[in-house]
Amino acid sequence: MTAIDMPVAGSRPKPRMHPLAVRVMHWTNAIAMVVMIGSGWKIYNDEVIFGFLHFPQEIVLGIWAQHALQWHFFGMWILMLNGLVYLAYGLISGRFRRLLWPIRPLEVVREALAALTFRLKHADLTHYNAVQKVLYVGVMAVIIVQVITGLAIWKPVQFSGLVSLFGGFQGARLAHFIGMALIVGFMVVHVALALLVPKTILAMLTGGPRVDPAPPTTPPAH
Ligand code: HEM
């Protein structure tokens, strides 16, 4: 513990970059997402959208489609409940405002170019760079749409309004597939970046450095 991290006598220690709740929710989400993708691929194989694309049995979850569907619903409830608590926590605690905001387009372009040429530094674990901010906010938005298209193709009669938003059942199915591809793309980039800076993985496991708590959402009354 450095002098900066030392709590003042009588005061509470500063919180960690990734509080326990965030770590538990992050890894729960990662496992649920793998279950969703693996079982989704098996369900897809039962009636493919693209004739050339079948997912090999070695990388899917489920022995037959109905079995995969049970895994998919199991993963779905965990992903949805975990995701709702994470979103509420991020909004109420000020975590999203502190770490994911603001996103400046010029910074995103500059840092994306630096990342592509392996010049992007991630020395300060307590801040996300503009590329990370876009990726995290982006994947959250895609997951929300993914839940909506999932509901539409699960109960097309009850959620007919949602189905028509996507131009019909096949449109919703295609949007669900594209959402899966975007999430898989995110995961490949995300895990590769994390492996390039392994101390970020350690921080997501142990909490990481201590940070100043989020400032109050409303200014104090005069
Ligand atoms: C085994 C797979 C995964 C690994 C190794 C991993 C690793 C990490 C690490 C190290 C961080 C912290 C980044 C930093 O401090 O610079 C992080 C944050 C994050 N990851 Fe992952 N991750 C995985 C899977 C996922 C999946 C599947 C998703 C969503 C689809 C996801 C979404 C996020 C988000 C949104 C954050 C920011 C969380 C916050 O600060 O509130 N991760 N991940």
Side-chain angles (χ1 to χ4, degrees):
M1 189 185 273
T2 64
I4 288 176
D5 293 336
M6 295 276 275
V8 180
S11 70
R12 292 176 50 206
K14 288 180 179 180
R16 297 224 175 248
M17 163 70 177
H18 302 304
L20 181 64
V22 168
R23 283 176 269 154
V24 170
M25 288 187 279
H26 176 268
W27 294 117
T28 303
N29 173 70
I31 296 169
M33 198 51 94
V34 170
V35 168
M36 294 303 285
I37 293 168
S39 54
W41 286 349
K42 179 72 189 175
I43 300 164
Y44 165 92
N45 277 351
D46 205 41
E47 202 189 322
V48 299
I49 301 178
F50 308 105
F52 61 89
L53 181 64
H54 285 79
F55 294 98
Q57 186 59 32
E58 293 74 36
I59 59 164
V60 301
L61 181 62
I63 307 160
W64 52 87
Q66 201 56 34
H67 184 223
L69 209 55
Q70 284 173 10
W71 273 112
H72 212 60
F73 287 132
F74 173 68
M76 186 267 285
W77 283 114
I78 296 178
L79 189 93
M80 243 179 75
L81 294 176
N82 188 65
L84 284 175
V85 176
Y86 172 74
L87 287 180
Y89 175 95
L91 290 170
I92 294 167
S93 70
R95 181 177 180 81
F96 288 167
R97 200 163 36 90
R98 185 167 59 81
L99 287 175
L100 301 177
W101 198 252
I103 298 178
R104 298 191 179 90
L106 268 178
E107 265 175 43
V108 176
V109 174
R110 204 175 48 225
E111 292 178 9
L113 289 175
L116 289 173
T117 48
F118 298 100
R119 283 183 294 109
L120 190 61
K121 304 261 182 316
H122 191 25
D124 179 5
L125 292 191
T126 63
H127 288 94
Y128 289 144
N129 59 51
V131 173
Q132 281 177 298
K133 289 181 189 176
V134 166
L135 285 176
Y136 296 157
V137 173
V139 81
M140 286 180 216
V142 172
I143 293 173
I144 292 170
V145 176
Q146 194 69 349
V147 171
I148 295 173
T149 51
L151 286 175
I153 54 183
W154 175 35
K155 296 262 183 224
V157 177
Q158 289 85 339
F159 295 111
S160 57
L162 288 183
V163 176
S164 53
L165 261 182
F166 296 92
F169 183 79
Q170 288 307 332
R173 227 191 133 203
L174 184 62
H176 201 63
F177 184 92
I178 294 170
M180 174 282 293
L182 290 173
I183 294 169
V184 171
F186 163 85
M187 282 173 73
V188 171
V189 174
H190 181 58
V191 175
L193 289 178
L195 288 174
L196 279 177
V197 193
K199 61 183 175 183
T200 60
I201 302 185
L202 196 68
M204 200 30 114
L205 289 166
T206 60
R210 295 192 182 275
V211 291
D212 283 321
T217 25
T218 45
H222 292 290

